[in-house]
Amino acid sequence: MTTVTFHMEGSAITGFDARGHSGFAQEGEDIVCAAVTSAVRLVECTINDVLGLSASVKVREQDAHISLRLPGGLSAQADSTCQALLTGMMVYLAELHSEYPDYIEVLEA
């Protein structure tokens, strides 16, 4: 199962951890893993490459783990944009959980 944990400070999302393979299908054919990976990469690329905000990203391929943490001191506009991106990702993954409850879990911490 893939578990995505969103880290919160009050109502603000400060980052996330995504861990594990969903187990829906074999590697390379797993649509749940592909959906999660695409969402993670889109958010990371938008925050780091498009907005240029230098979020901390750590990847451990051996245990299928990726984490992202927003940098501190963001402007109000940058923070608002990041919150919209991360909230959209959370909603998307929660909907994916509704469709595939045995393969993905979405948590807040």
Side-chain angles (χ1 to χ4, degrees):
M1 176 179 285
T2 298
T3 301
V4 183
T5 305
F6 287 88
H7 298 278
M8 310 294 294
E9 283 186 14
S11 62
I13 303 170
T14 60
F16 63 84
D17 287 287
R19 298 175 190 269
H21 292 289
S22 76
F24 180 78
Q26 292 182 8
E27 187 175 332
E29 297 177 8
D30 193 324
I31 61 172
V32 177
C33 275
V36 172
T37 299
S38 293
V40 166
R41 294 192 70 186
L42 175 64
V43 168
E44 186 273 325
C45 287
T46 302
I47 290 170
N48 283 337
D49 300 333
V50 175
L51 299 174
L53 297 177
S54 301
S56 170
V57 177
K58 296 179 183 171
V59 177
R60 290 193 324 246
E61 290 184 27
Q62 69 271 18
D63 59 350
H65 177 229
I66 185 167
S67 66
L68 180 140
R69 298 293 183 275
L70 293 177
L74 294 177
S75 70
Q77 182 176 1
D79 184 59
S80 177
T81 301
C82 289
Q83 291 307 304
L85 285 165
L86 290 166
T87 300
M89 180 179 159
M90 183 186 290
V91 169
Y92 168 72
L93 294 176
E95 289 179 8
L96 193 62
H97 167 76
S98 294
E99 294 178 43
Y100 301 96
D102 295 333
Y103 302 99
I104 179 171
E105 184 171 37
V106 181
L107 307 170
E108 292 182 26

